[in-house]
Structure formats: C-alpha cells, structure tokens
Amino acid sequence: MTTPFDADLVFAALADATRRDIVLRGIAELAEHYPMSFAAVQKHIAVLERAGLVTKDRAGRRKVVHTDMEGLRMAQGLLDRYEQLWRGRIDRMTDLITSSEETRA
C-alpha cells in the first residue's frame, strides 16, 4: 500500500457490494463477472485502488487486479480496536448492572 491509511476511503469503498466482491476475487477479467459495463467495473476498481485495497499490474495487454492485503490488514486493525473499545464498554456496563442488582438485594 503506497498511500497512508484513510479509514474513510477504505470503508466507503467497502460499503458497496460490488467492490467487496472485487476485493474477494482479486483477479483479472473482472468485468465478465458483473452485469455492468467494463467502464463501470473500472470505476469500482479505481475507488478500491484509491482506498489502497487493490493494485493493478500489466500482464501483456491485460490489467491484472490484485487484492492489497496490507490495506485489508489495516482496516481489520481499526475494526479490532473498535471491537476492543466496545467490549470494554459492555463489560463496564455489565459490572455496573451487576453491582446495582447486588446493592438492591
């Protein structure tokens, strides 16, 4: 990934089902898999590329799209931090509720 991680770009790119599928496929000749024009698929790929989720390489006359695992790992890391934050908050709420119930008893 050559650009700094931008969570807004990454998650906006992943908000679209077609783009998530492109990242999962991570292969060339993507346009054949979707009921849309080649130009429309190229636009989706451009969004993913700007977000650092895919890269394009030339293989002769073809452009090959590859999933950028570093970009996905960075997105996963951010999601992991949010999960830890919310699990901590839920644990504290659970403790407060339990403490409140014990005080009443």
Side-chain angles (χ1 to χ4, degrees):
M1 189 161 140
T2 58
T3 60
F5 181 71
D6 185 329
D8 291 339
L9 280 176
V10 169
F11 292 110
L14 292 174
D16 183 87
T18 299
R19 291 193 288 265
R20 287 192 305 274
D21 190 62
I22 289 169
V23 170
L24 288 174
R25 289 178 189 276
I27 56 173
E29 299 171 18
L30 290 166
E32 296 174 0
H33 298 284
Y34 304 104
M36 62 182 76
S37 68
F38 178 77
V41 172
Q42 285 293 92
K43 287 181 182 180
H44 284 293
I45 292 170
V47 170
L48 292 167
E49 192 172 27
R50 279 192 302 275
L53 296 169
V54 300
T55 57
K56 289 189 298 190
D57 296 317
R58 280 222 175 264
R61 295 180 357 170
R62 298 180 340 168
K63 288 184 181 174
V64 181
V65 176
H66 302 280
T67 301
D68 187 325
M69 295 309 294
E70 181 182 348
L72 288 177
R73 278 192 289 276
M74 293 178 91
Q76 181 63 51
L78 179 60
L79 291 172
D80 288 345
R81 288 193 300 273
Y82 280 121
E83 180 181 5
Q84 289 172 351
L85 171 78
W86 281 103
R87 285 186 185 276
R89 289 179 179 177
I90 290 168
D91 289 345
R92 287 192 300 276
M93 285 189 281
T94 301
D95 292 344
L96 285 171
I97 291 168
T98 302
S99 174
S100 176
E101 289 172 351
E102 289 172 357
T103 303
R104 288 186 203 158

